[in-house]
Amino acid sequence: MVRLSRAILARVAPEARPLAEPRVTGVVHLGIGAFHRAHQAVYTERAMAATGDDRWGICGASQRSTDVADRLRPQDCLYGVRAGDEARVVGSVREVLTPGDDLAVRLAAPETAVVTLTITERAYRRGPGPGAIGRLVTGLRARAAADAGPLTVISCDNLPGNGATLAGLVAELCEPPLLDWVERNVTFPASMVDRIVPATTQADLDDMAARLGVTDLGAVVTEPFTQWVIEDCFAGDRPAWDRAGALLVSDVRPYERMKLRLLNGSHSAIAYLSGATYVSEAVGDPAFTGFLRRLMDEDLSPTLDGLDGFDLAGYKESLLARFANPGLRHRVAQIAVDGSQKLPQRLLDPARERLAAGHEPRWIALAVAGWMRHVTTAPELDDPLADRLRGDGPSSAAATVDRLLAIEEIFTPDLRENETFRALLTDSLRRLTTPGGDLS
């Protein structure tokens, strides 16, 4: 079967062809993985289609490998997105850079007005090499030297306060003249993104080929639901994302907390407690679904505010329906990665708030105990703190809780010293490691 490219688009059914053909590259994206291709790139194409403004093609930059470039470059950067029963080719990406390519040139181009990032929680940590933040600062330095105009840099990840966090990390790497230029010319809006995008499998690629009639090695599979809430503080021009369904607001934080705690917190609970291979299998168990409802209703929802007029009950029901979608094949192991970086904002922050209000976050403690069991018993542990999490061998529930609570990068002193929280964790871990233990 012939491979997808612009030259053979006529072989694709008209309703499955790109909605827009960008003429200019106006957006640079750092971290062009499956999530970006199923989320921001789709919004950007829809924005161009809604307005006829074709200046918003995307230059995607891979951070760690050439895999995405190897898949997309031979296809003229075209790729398919299947959302539910709908499959369509997306055409908003015009270029893909590898870690060895000169990203600074593109960031310094005057037609570039927006930078978006989807980088993991791990990427916000300091480490060897330039990393995504270092590459961004190098590009800002080149842009300032070229006097190329204002720039908006938008974080599109699960880190709370991602805009302010990114701005702070950039500032740390800027020399005084550059920092002055950044403060005058660059804004860092916070944003909340939501769309479940599992890792693409060979079966997904085969399905996309059957649907499109061409081979597509860059295809991604996602769910029909999608959400993007963006803080409305742009430095200059931007795609009309609001015309594509994005919500521009003055304060992202209430929506951010809602998604991080209800969706991502529930995902973490599924990853560490269900024992399932796929998310849909976990919620296929009525007992486990009952646990998720109690987690959301009793421990997580009471920590949410600022959502006046929002149908929170309906949102929670939609989450359970999304989790139950067997077509997504969302692997639990994918969610379990980097748990030490994800737990604080997903489960530990709401636990802290419930404790401060005089309540016992029983269901959160059970999920955190599930993580403790996972990091000490999993055959393979993909986490930047893996060596410290693993421990030296079997130990009692109380000893394991004490050891892990002492890791300052994860647990703050108030949680570490809270006897109620410690007791809940110890009891939960003891039950989880006892044959026949349940989630009640």
Side-chain angles (χ1 to χ4, degrees), residues 370-401:
W371 169 80
M372 290 180 165
R373 178 183 60 177
H374 171 77
V375 299
T376 53
T377 63
E380 296 182 5
L381 185 59
D382 189 349
D383 193 291
L385 301 181
D387 291 342
R388 297 168 61 190
L389 295 172
R390 179 68 74 191
D392 298 324
S395 60
S396 69
T400 297
V401 169

Side-chain angles (χ1 to χ4, degrees), residues 13-131:
E15 64 272 16
R17 295 174 193 168
L19 299 177
E21 180 73 23
R23 174 180 52 87
V24 175
T25 297
V27 178
V28 171
H29 181 81
L30 278 65
I32 184 167
F35 183 78
H36 169 73
R37 304 203 303 277
H39 191 273
Q40 300 98 55
V42 172
Y43 277 93
T44 301
E45 183 182 63
R46 290 175 178 170
M48 288 188 285
T51 61
D53 186 351
D54 60 4
R55 297 172 298 144
W56 302 110
I58 298 168
C59 169
S62 295
Q63 296 303 308
R64 295 189 298 269
S65 75
T66 65
D67 179 66
V68 176
D70 294 341
R71 291 175 181 271
L72 293 190
R73 282 175 174 174
Q75 300 182 179
D76 299 321
C77 296
L78 298 173
Y79 62 93
V81 173
R82 177 167 69 81
D85 292 329
E86 180 188 46
R88 188 175 59 75
V89 176
V90 173
S92 53
V93 178
R94 299 183 77 235
E95 180 183 13
V96 178
L97 303 181
T98 66
D101 292 328
D102 191 352
L103 176 64
V105 171
R106 181 57 70 192
L107 289 173
E111 60 267 24
T112 299
V114 177
V115 175
T116 54
L117 301 88
T118 47
I119 57 178
T120 65
E121 288 89 344
R122 186 185 302 195
Y124 281 94
R125 296 165 52 248
R126 293 184 179 277

Side-chain angles (χ1 to χ4, degrees), residues 179-252:
L179 181 58
D180 179 67
W181 182 88
V182 167
E183 290 175 345
R184 289 184 288 106
N185 291 277
V186 184
T187 59
F188 298 88
S191 85
M192 185 275 275
V193 294
D194 188 2
R195 197 171 210 186
I196 298 172
V197 186
T200 303
T201 66
Q202 184 58 51
D204 294 328
L205 297 180
D206 294 342
D207 176 75
M208 187 65 78
R211 291 170 182 268
L212 296 181
V214 295
T215 298
D216 175 10
L217 299 186
V220 292
V221 175
T222 186
E223 61 176 335
F225 180 93
T226 184
Q227 188 176 34
W228 194 7
V229 183
I230 312 171
E231 182 184 4
D232 193 1
C233 62
F234 294 85
D237 205 358
R238 61 167 175 83
W241 285 318
D242 48 322
R243 295 283 299 276
L247 183 63
L248 303 185
V249 300
S250 59
D251 188 359
V252 172

Side-chain angles (χ1 to χ4, degrees), residues 82 84-85 196 198 201 204 221-224 277-284 319-331:
R82 177 167 69 81
D85 292 329
I196 298 172
T201 66
D204 294 328
V221 175
T222 186
E223 61 176 335
T277 300
Y278 298 103
V279 170
S280 57
E281 294 175 352
V283 296
L319 288 181
L320 293 173
R322 293 163 65 192
F323 293 161
N325 181 357
L328 281 180
R329 308 289 286 174
H330 196 181
R331 296 185 66 87

